[in-house]
Amino acid sequence: MNGTEPTEHTEAVVEIDDGGSWTPVCRYRDLDPGRGVAVLVGSRGDQVALFRERGGTVHALANRDPFSGAHVISRGLLGSRLGVPVVISPMLKHAFELRTGRSLDEPHAPDGSPADLRVWPVRVAAAATAEVCR
């Protein structure tokens, strides 16, 4: 489930479902609130932008900006639009909903494809049940 808040922050591990299994990507405490990081998941090494909101909720979205083609979403600014948490791409300043990946500015990228970002299932698990990546 995307937008997971941990019940115990101390040694919790953030995991992303790569379509085949839950992959541990980092310790929850290593995510700075209000900032994003890029992680690689799956056998293809897909780039995922991982965010921890200031309230503690974790989100995972595709890291590729559909308007510029650059893998920069993880460097975007977190904010909100009408109470909906968003990430603003650092390239052309398009806004995407953190929960759904929906593009709030334009429905289609320049190549005609949908501009929405893929949302990856993310969860925060107790360290006792997950291997911590280093």
Side-chain angles (χ1 to χ4, degrees):
M1 175 178 195
N2 204 46
T4 303
E5 294 183 53
T7 55
E8 176 56 48
H9 300 273
T10 312
E11 290 299 320
V13 175
V14 178
E15 299 176 330
I16 294 175
D17 183 352
D18 65 11
S21 63
W22 287 97
T23 303
V25 292
C26 67
R27 289 185 298 251
Y28 178 81
R29 70 175 183 208
D30 291 337
L31 292 175
D32 290 330
R35 299 229 167 176
V37 298
V39 298
L40 300 176
V41 298
S43 59
R44 298 182 336 198
D46 292 311
Q47 286 195 34
V48 177
L50 187 62
F51 297 96
R52 176 178 165 190
E53 289 186 80
R54 294 197 188 282
T57 305
V58 177
H59 302 277
L61 304 157
N63 196 36
R64 184 181 176 277
D65 180 330
F67 296 97
S68 69
H71 290 83
V72 295
I73 296 298
S74 63
R75 298 293 181 210
L77 299 173
L78 294 186
S80 66
R81 251 195 213 175
L82 300 174
V84 175
V86 298
V87 59
I88 309 295
S89 172
M91 294 298 289
L92 300 173
K93 311 305 183 232
H94 287 91
F96 302 91
E97 284 187 26
L98 280 175
R99 294 179 195 135
T100 66
R102 185 171 70 95
S103 172
L104 298 179
D105 297 315
E106 296 182 45
H108 296 94
D111 65 2
S113 64
D116 297 343
L117 300 177
R118 176 180 177 182
V119 175
W120 293 77
V122 62
R123 70 182 181 188
V124 179
T129 61
E131 175 184 329
V132 177
C133 292
R134 302 214 188 273

